[in-house]
Amino acid sequence: MDHADYNYLKKFFKSYTSQFLKQEKNFEPFEIKIVHTKNVCDNIKILTQEMNWNSAEFYKAIATGLLHDIGRFPQYKKYGTFNDALSFNHGALGVEVIRKHKILSNIEKTEKQQIIKAVALHNVFSLPNNLNLETLELTRLIRDADKLDIYRVMIELYKGTTPGKTSFITHHLPNDGHVSTNLIENIENGQLIDIRNVKTLNDMKLLQISWIFDLNFPISLNLVRERNYIEAILSSMPQSIKLERVRKAARIYLNRYLY
C-alpha cells in the first residue's frame, strides 16, 4: 500500500461519514467517532515511527486505523448505541462496510486480508492463536492506538470537558460511587477486566485502567504514563484505600517499561 491508496481511502471515509452528519439530528456521536479516528491515526504515526516500520507497513497500518471504527456509523444509526452487546459487533459491521463498498479492491490481496482481519479483531477481548505474524502485529498495533485515544475521549468526559450529552459513551451506566472489590483484585493480579463484569461507571473506569495489561508495545505503555492517563482516571473516582491499591499496581506495571 502507498500514499495514493491511503488518499483514496481518506476520501471515501470523509464522503461516507459526512452523510451521517448531514442526515442525523443528533450528530454528536458520529462527530466524536470522526475525531477519534483522526487521533487513532495520529497514534499510529507515533507508534510506527518508534518501531521503524517501513513506508508500506505504515500505510497499511494507518489505513487500518482509518477503517477500524467505520462500523460505528451504521451501528449508531440503526441501534442508537455504541454498546456491541445491545446491538451488533462494530468490528464485524466495519468489515461489512469495507466489503459492501469494495474500497480495498485495488489493494494487494495479502494486505487486504490483513487489514480486514485487523478491523474485525480490533475490539475482541483476546486475540486468536492462529494469526500469522504480520496480521498479529498489525492487529496489536491498531488495538494499542485505539485504546490510547479512548483514554483521551473518556478522560475528557470524566473531567466534564466534552460538550453535549455524552452518556451514550458510557452506555448509561449508573454513577453510584460503587467500586467493585473483585475488579480491583483483577488489576492487582495483572488481569484484563472483562466488560461483561462492568456494572457501574466506576467499573468501566477500572476496566480502562486494566487495559494497560493488554497493551502490546513498550511505546504504548510509555505514552500512557507520559500522558498521565491512569492518574486522570483515578482522580475522577472516589478516593479510598482500595484505589490506592489500584494506583500502586498500575504504577509498578508501567514503570517496568520506563525508557
Side-chain angles (χ1 to χ4, degrees):
M1 179 174 285
D2 58 23
H3 184 69
D5 295 323
Y6 178 63
N7 273 345
Y8 169 79
L9 294 175
K10 279 181 66 176
K11 290 178 182 177
F12 169 81
F13 180 85
K14 183 176 181 179
S15 174
Y16 180 79
T17 58
S18 64
Q19 64 182 304
F20 294 90
L21 297 177
K22 294 174 182 177
Q23 295 173 4
E24 300 298 320
K25 293 181 180 179
N26 178 21
F27 59 83
E28 184 188 7
F30 306 108
E31 192 172 54
I32 284 175
K33 286 301 174 184
I34 290 172
V35 174
H36 167 65
T37 298
K38 177 186 178 301
N39 281 283
V40 168
C41 289
D42 288 343
N43 286 331
I44 286 173
K45 291 176 184 177
I46 295 171
L47 298 181
T48 54
Q49 183 175 20
E50 176 69 23
M51 296 184 290
N52 295 315
W53 285 28
N54 65 36
S55 177
E57 292 170 334
F58 164 73
Y59 282 115
K60 180 174 64 176
I62 202 168
T64 305
L66 187 70
L67 299 175
H68 84 284
D69 261 359
I70 199 79
R72 286 297 198 188
F73 296 86
Q75 178 191 41
Y76 200 88
K77 179 178 177 63
K78 182 174 182 179
Y79 300 101
T81 182
F82 287 138
N83 188 332
D84 285 7
L86 298 179
S87 56
F88 199 87
N89 183 322
H90 74 276
L93 279 175
V95 173
E96 286 186 15
V97 173
I98 292 169
R99 287 177 170 159
K100 177 182 178 182
H101 295 275
K102 300 179 180 179
I103 56 175
L104 298 179
S105 59
N106 292 329
I107 305 302
E108 190 270 329
K109 182 179 178 181
T110 299
E111 284 191 328
K112 174 181 176 180
Q113 291 173 338
Q114 290 170 357
I115 293 170
I116 288 175
K117 181 67 74 172
V119 170
L121 295 175
H122 84 274
N123 61 322
V124 299
F125 182 73
S126 59
L127 295 177
N129 296 321
N130 61 347
L131 298 178
N132 64 58
L133 182 58
E134 286 190 355
T135 303
L136 178 62
E137 288 295 281
L138 179 64
T139 307
R140 284 174 170 170
L141 183 84
I142 183 57
R143 285 165 69 87
D144 279 19
D146 188 29
K147 288 183 176 70
L148 287 170
D149 192 61
I150 295 175
Y151 277 130
R152 175 196 63 83
V153 172
M154 301 310 299
I155 290 166
E156 287 180 1
L157 175 62
Y158 300 149
K159 289 182 175 179
T161 57
T162 304
K165 298 179 179 179
T166 52
S167 59
F168 59 84
I169 298 177
T170 57
H171 309 320
H172 306 280
L173 288 167
N175 187 16
D176 59 5
H178 178 71
V179 180
S180 298
T181 301
N182 62 312
L183 300 190
I184 289 175
E185 291 172 353
N186 284 154
I187 292 174
E188 288 184 303
N189 293 328
Q191 297 171 336
L192 179 65
I193 293 171
D194 192 325
I195 196 169
R196 291 174 294 184
N197 296 325
V198 169
K199 308 300 180 185
T200 69
L201 184 61
N202 282 327
D203 286 353
M204 175 173 276
K205 293 176 181 180
L206 291 174
L207 163 70
Q208 289 155 3
I209 291 171
S210 81
W211 283 349
I212 60 175
F213 307 125
D214 195 43
L215 292 173
N216 299 283
F217 304 104
I219 177 60
S220 304
L221 290 158
N222 269 274
L223 289 172
V224 168
R225 189 185 60 253
E226 290 172 10
R227 295 172 180 179
N228 207 32
Y229 286 152
I230 303 306
E231 186 57 39
I233 295 173
L234 285 169
S235 67
S236 73
M237 301 175 70
Q239 299 306 296
S240 67
I241 294 176
K242 291 192 294 185
L243 282 191
E244 283 303 314
R245 290 159 48 193
V246 173
R247 182 177 280 109
K248 179 180 178 181
R251 183 174 62 249
I252 290 172
Y253 186 80
L254 290 174
N255 282 346
R256 296 178 188 175
Y257 299 92
L258 179 66
Y259 280 177

